[in-house]
Amino acid sequence: MSTEVLPPVAPEVLADAVEQLSARLRNKLDAAIADCAARAAPGADGSVDVPFGEDAVVTLRPGPSGTVTDVAQAVCTCLLAPRCLHRAAVLGAAPIADGGETESGEPHGEPARAGDRDGDGDGVGEQVTATSSGSGITVGSGGGHTESAVLTVAQVRAASALWDASAEALSAGVTAGGAVVQAELLRAAHTARLAGLPRAEAAALRVVRGLRAARERSNGQRLGELAGAFRELLAGAALLASGSAGAVAPGTSRRAYEQGGSLRVYGLCREPVLSATGYGGVATHLLGAEGSFFSVSDVRPGGLARAKGAGSASVALGGAVLDHAGLARGGLRIVGATVSADGRLGAGRGVSATPVRGVDWSEEPVAALFARPVRKAMVSALGDGTDGSGVSGADPSEAALLGCDVEVVGAAGDHLVVRVVDGGPVLRLRPAHPHPELPHAANLRRIAEHAGLVVRVLGRPDPERAATLRPLAVGPVPGASCTLRLPEEWLGRADLGYDRLQGSHFPSAGERPGPVGPPVADGPDPLADAPLWRVRRLLETGVAGGRRAVAEAGRGTDTAALVAPLRRAGLGGAARLAEALTAEADRRPRDAFGRLTDASADGYARAWLASAVHLAAAERSLVVASWS
């Protein structure tokens, strides 16, 4: 279903429209939504009209931000309006806007960087610099400083309501998770935002968008991503509802900044930013003199075209006259830097930045990135991967970068196999962003043609794949004869998302040693070889078909087929949690008259979450071990 004509709709507007429907009309809502987008037509005044026969026309009049943020901006001409099916159907067919808006009308939240799975971040349209360090448990006070997070009664109640709505949505699954279920989740998400829990709201919006994509069979939809979104939402809501402020930060809807003093940073590389919601831009990664990672981002609406063009756009940071291409190979001296609670640096009025000479990757402090043992560097870059709840916390796009010197083995399937020099592990290099119009994949294919080539790689470890690195830039290895030969103006590195490697950048055929070592092969993959995939399939079955599908999967001989391989592999904890999940899914106690005595989805959601959190921790351990 195309929604290009329909404007985004605030979550609370859709939730209010669905709530006003009678039970009979709610049953018809999903069918009514199906063809709304195809009938939508733009009006002369910026409005959008959707006709329903001869007697009813729904008109959406978005505000200055381009979003329908008020119930009065959606009207229908039928006699039942505003409690009509037509109005709710059109709102349900429109894209869901990000929760909350800035004073300028821009939604909060920055689209994902290249390769990001959840599409959520901070700072749309900002030019900011960010550290990769954790932010701690803090809540912005709105006055430029932060306070320790203390959950209020209203926040705990909002989190409890969000847990209940999330549990019901999980129990329904994709098949039964239509507009009514989504609206209940959106209403709970809106309540969470009003209570000061914007991160919880953002997690709920990701789930709703995932449910929509799955029901529409969108090409970009992955069931595993939706299962991960449910895990994050349920884990966060459960911790907040328990009042555990020390376990998960409520978050802030706006970024608060504090004085951060003076900094000297050096460019590392540029990375295209492209999100599924139409935003595009660039993130230029920097390294501080003390070894801390930073980045300057320029992300705005514009999609692929802007992501491709922003690589040479100007950097508006403290008066520095540089573009992103120059900053990626240069440096800045920043005075009066402002730092947010999560470590980002802002471009405030008092910030002054002066360009300085950049450094080659063979010079300090950058050279230190490539001197660390790869496993130690990987653990540092990826962190423990949790936020205290046992679920993935940090966005991989915010993780510290990893540098290493590798020898090219060759192509294997859709990735490049390399061997870390000096006896390191075999790694898989996959494109940081797979879009065919971005040069990531093409550059890796060209490198794969030169077996025996020694290359210096800077990238981000993939937390969901064994021994996998998403490279952002490559460069020559100092002192190596068979290595890249880049132009002097590139200052010893090629940005794989912007620069295109040519034949002249590689040694000639006579200078290459040719194939080395055994034939190209992936080698062992502890993540793929472990029977944990059975648990993953069970969890995803629940997301797709709901509680009933999990109950069916755990009946009879299916339970033994599920848990026996897990126990043989020594994964007794995973087996016990999977058994508990299938048993809870099939538990439907009834009274003497056949009526359900406990229709709550709470127990099922907790059993599903326990298994999902255990699976995430087990898979993360296997990923870390694969770098040995």
Side-chain angles (χ1 to χ4, degrees):
M1 177 175 65
S2 174
T3 59
E4 295 180 358
V5 177
L6 295 173
V9 172
E12 62 271 22
V13 174
L14 173 57
D16 180 79
V18 175
E19 186 179 31
Q20 294 188 56
L21 296 179
S22 65
R24 181 179 63 86
L25 293 180
R26 289 188 182 192
N27 292 334
K28 298 180 179 181
L29 182 56
D30 288 328
I33 287 175
D35 59 348
C36 284
R39 298 199 304 270
D45 58 351
S47 63
V48 176
D49 295 329
V50 182
F52 285 84
E54 299 179 357
D55 301 326
V57 176
V58 176
T59 301
L60 302 182
R61 292 186 175 87
S65 65
T67 300
V68 177
T69 58
D70 190 271
V71 293
Q73 294 173 339
V75 297
C76 181
T77 59
C78 78
L79 297 177
L80 291 178
R83 302 174 180 272
C84 63
L85 180 64
H86 313 121
R87 180 172 172 272
V90 173
L91 292 173
I96 300 171
D98 291 331
E101 293 186 350
T102 65
E103 286 87 343
S104 63
E106 291 180 338
H108 293 303
E110 178 183 339
R113 292 183 184 171
D116 190 10
R117 295 173 301 281
D118 57 26
D120 182 59
D122 294 304
V124 165
E126 293 181 304
Q127 295 251 358
V128 297
T129 312
T131 67
S132 65
S133 60
S135 60
I137 308 303
T138 54
V139 180
S141 62
H145 63 280
T146 58
E147 302 172 344
S148 296
V150 178
L151 297 183
T152 65
V153 173
Q155 287 177 325
V156 173
R157 289 176 178 171
S160 297
L162 186 59
W163 165 269
D164 292 338
S166 305
E168 292 294 339
L170 177 67
S171 182
V174 172
T175 55
V180 175
V181 172
Q182 295 170 26
E184 292 299 323
L185 193 50
L186 290 176
R187 176 166 294 282
H190 177 60
T191 302
R193 175 164 65 89
L194 294 180
L197 302 174
R199 290 185 185 175
E201 182 207 24
L205 294 184
R206 286 196 295 272
V207 168
V208 173
R209 291 188 179 109
L211 286 172
R212 283 189 167 195
R215 289 176 63 84
E216 295 166 9
R217 293 179 173 83
S218 172
N219 291 332
Q221 187 273 335
R222 289 176 53 196
L223 197 58
E225 292 178 358
L226 181 54
F230 262 115
R231 186 189 71 234
E232 300 289 344
L233 172 60
L234 289 168
L239 288 169
L240 289 170
S242 69
S244 302
V248 59
T252 59
S253 58
R254 292 193 62 110
R255 194 180 299 279
Y257 291 88
E258 293 182 340
Q259 292 300 316
S262 300
L263 289 172
R264 190 182 184 98
V265 294
Y266 302 97
L268 292 174
C269 63
R270 294 169 293 167
E271 177 183 10
V273 179
L274 183 62
S275 80
T277 54
Y279 288 84
V282 62
T284 298
H285 298 277
L286 311 166
L287 186 71
E290 302 294 329
S292 301
F293 287 95
F294 301 86
S295 70
V296 176
S297 302
D298 183 3
V299 182
R300 300 177 187 274
L304 178 64
R306 193 171 193 287
K308 295 168 68 175
S312 56
S314 298
V315 176
L317 180 64
V321 184
L322 275 177
D323 59 19
H324 281 272
L327 179 58
R329 294 179 170 91
L332 287 175
R333 180 186 293 110
I334 306 174
V335 178
T338 55
V339 188
S340 69
D342 62 355
R344 291 179 180 257
L345 300 173
R349 293 181 181 178
V351 178
S352 175
T354 304
V356 298
R357 185 187 74 87
V359 297
D360 189 272
W361 279 6
S362 60
E363 302 177 56
E364 295 296 343
V366 181
L369 294 178
F370 303 93
R372 302 179 66 186
V374 67
R375 176 177 169 82
K376 183 178 180 180
M378 178 268 179
V379 173
S380 175
L382 202 57
D384 63 6
T386 67
D387 56 9
S389 64
V391 296
S392 176
D395 180 350
S397 67
E398 298 296 338
L401 302 180
L402 181 150
C404 58
D405 295 340
V406 301
E407 183 180 33
V408 176
V409 177
D414 60 350
H415 57 272
L416 170 62
V417 177
V418 299
R419 183 181 295 106
V420 177
V421 298
D422 297 330
V426 174
L427 303 180
R428 302 166 180 84
L429 303 187
R430 293 180 179 272
H433 200 293
H435 197 288
E437 294 193 39
L438 294 176
H440 291 285
N443 282 329
L444 288 184
R445 285 195 298 268
R446 183 172 285 274
I447 293 174
E449 298 171 357
H450 299 270
L453 183 74
V454 181
V455 182
R456 178 157 283 185
V457 179
L458 184 67
R460 186 178 296 115
D462 189 330
E464 296 186 348
R465 294 178 183 270
T468 299
L469 187 68
R470 302 279 182 175
L472 303 180
V474 295
V477 176
S481 58
C482 184
T483 190
L484 292 173
R485 299 177 178 179
L486 303 178
E488 290 185 7
E489 59 270 21
W490 285 15
L491 201 63
R493 83 284 309 260
D495 297 331
L496 296 180
Y498 287 103
D499 301 322
R500 290 188 179 271
L501 295 174
Q502 307 296 330
S504 59
H505 299 153
F506 296 89
S508 62
E511 298 173 299
R512 296 198 302 268
V516 295
V520 176
D522 278 332
D525 186 339
L527 190 60
D529 296 340
L532 288 171
W533 64 266
R534 298 174 184 273
V535 180
R536 190 183 314 114
R537 184 172 64 180
L538 178 66
L539 295 173
E540 293 178 0
T541 295
V543 170
R547 178 173 184 164
R548 181 176 299 179
V550 174
E552 290 292 338
R555 289 175 183 161
T557 58
D558 292 339
T559 302
L562 170 65
V563 301
L566 293 172
R567 289 200 172 99
R568 284 197 299 268
L571 299 170
R576 288 192 299 273
L577 291 171
E579 280 185 313
L581 173 58
T582 55
E584 181 62 33
D586 202 26
R587 189 183 69 83
R588 307 286 282 179
R590 299 178 183 273
D591 60 17
F593 299 99
R595 296 171 299 193
L596 284 174
T597 58
D598 182 10
S600 171
D602 182 83
Y604 169 73
R606 292 187 183 278
W608 187 95
L609 177 60
S611 188
V613 169
H614 183 277
L615 174 66
E619 289 183 332
R620 177 61 62 93
S621 297
L622 291 175
V623 168
V624 172
S626 70
W627 286 76
S628 299

